[in-house]
Amino acid sequence: MQPLSTPPVVRDLVLVGGGHSHVQVLKSFAMRPTPGIRVTLISKERESPYSGMLPGCVSGVYHRDEIHIQLDRLCRFAGARLLQAEVTGLQPERGVVNMAGRPDLRFDVLSINSGAVPAKLHDHAITVKPISEFIPKWERLRGSITPDEAVAVVGAGAGGVELAMAMRASLPRGVGIVVVGRALLPGHADGVRERVLAKLQALDIQWLPQEVCSTDDGSVQLDMAEQGQRLFAPDRVLWVTNVEAAPWLADSGLGTDEQGF
């Protein structure tokens, strides 16, 4: 019996990042393979957390293993290659991706779904992005915090509010939780904000309507407009705002916005 021949590779599709969109691309290729197309996924991690399940993980509904997609298994299912590497540069005019510690990789078609990084590094704060780095930090916080401590969640958007509510479900009741941000749920309707504020109050979560200037020394520097600045010193700080694209993307020559995306 003659072995089945493998179609020659005529086009290289390279996926940078193991985000949700690329998970769907890989699933699509697994269900309907396209002869002649070689698919390669570049990801720093072999598993990708699903951000929609993060609050459930924080609140204790899900174990961390339950919210991760195994990229190596998905790639095998899709007949794709997985390169566990960090992208450091992109040369679109040459059709080349640069990686740390690896040779350059050529592509015919490139897709970027690499997520975001904190716009500012905070030595004394826990940043929620990237999620893969946040989860072990959160587990250490949950295991070490005591009922007489206070946690500040910097960022009063939907992500910060949802995280604060999830934390209340799993932290000791005596732990103080404060959401810090000048506007609560900006961009949402007044009725939504009123209902969420009532829910925060029912959960004993305080909203501090102030702008944060800095968290450099572990305290939170507040900009109180007419009243000047003052320090707010929680025991733990979580940062749920201000993200930007990885620096290599802004240097790639592609058109980007102010945050580098």
Side-chain angles (χ1 to χ4, degrees), residues 55-179:
C57 181
V58 169
S59 65
V61 174
Y62 306 117
H63 186 269
R64 68 176 309 277
D65 292 340
E66 295 179 282
I67 75 168
H68 283 81
I69 299 166
Q70 303 301 317
L71 296 176
D72 49 354
R73 293 174 58 187
L74 181 59
C75 284
R76 287 196 298 271
F77 181 52
R81 298 185 299 176
L82 172 63
L83 297 183
Q84 190 172 357
E86 179 181 2
V87 172
T88 58
L90 174 64
Q91 302 174 52
E93 70 285 351
R94 293 181 53 212
V96 166
V97 177
N98 311 122
M99 296 174 287
R102 283 181 175 268
D104 294 344
L105 181 67
R106 194 194 70 81
F107 64 83
D108 294 297
V109 177
L110 181 77
S111 178
I112 300 172
N113 184 208
S114 52
V117 298
K120 180 182 178 183
L121 295 178
H122 305 275
D123 294 337
H124 298 276
I126 299 175
T127 54
V128 175
K129 293 293 183 74
I131 294 174
S132 59
E133 296 179 12
F134 166 74
I135 292 176
K137 294 177 182 178
W138 159 250
E139 291 174 341
R140 288 193 294 271
L141 182 153
R142 183 176 58 189
S144 63
I145 198 166
T146 58
D148 58 342
E149 291 186 279
V151 181
V153 178
V154 179
V161 167
E162 190 174 23
L163 183 64
M165 291 182 176
M167 289 166 53
R168 176 55 78 206
S170 61
L171 294 180
R173 187 66 187 181
V175 172
I177 302 177
V178 181
V179 176

Side-chain angles (χ1 to χ4, degrees), residues 172-192:
R173 187 66 187 181
V175 172
I177 302 177
V178 181
V179 176
V180 187
R182 189 172 297 280
L184 182 67
L185 294 180
H188 288 72
D190 291 342
V192 173

Side-chain angles (χ1 to χ4, degrees), residues 195-252:
R195 291 167 64 186
V196 167
L197 182 58
K199 185 65 175 178
L200 289 174
Q201 293 170 344
L203 293 172
D204 194 23
I205 299 173
Q206 181 186 359
W207 168 45
L208 191 59
Q210 306 295 341
E211 193 75 26
V212 173
C213 302
S214 174
T215 61
D216 292 340
D217 62 353
S219 61
V220 176
Q221 185 83 27
L222 301 176
D223 184 358
M224 302 185 66
E226 300 85 1
Q227 301 172 339
Q229 295 184 353
R230 75 176 179 91
L231 287 178
F232 167 58
D235 300 284
R236 317 291 180 103
V237 179
L238 275 67
W239 196 264
V240 199
T241 185
N242 293 349
V243 294
E244 61 186 18
W248 64 264
L249 188 57
D251 297 334
S252 66

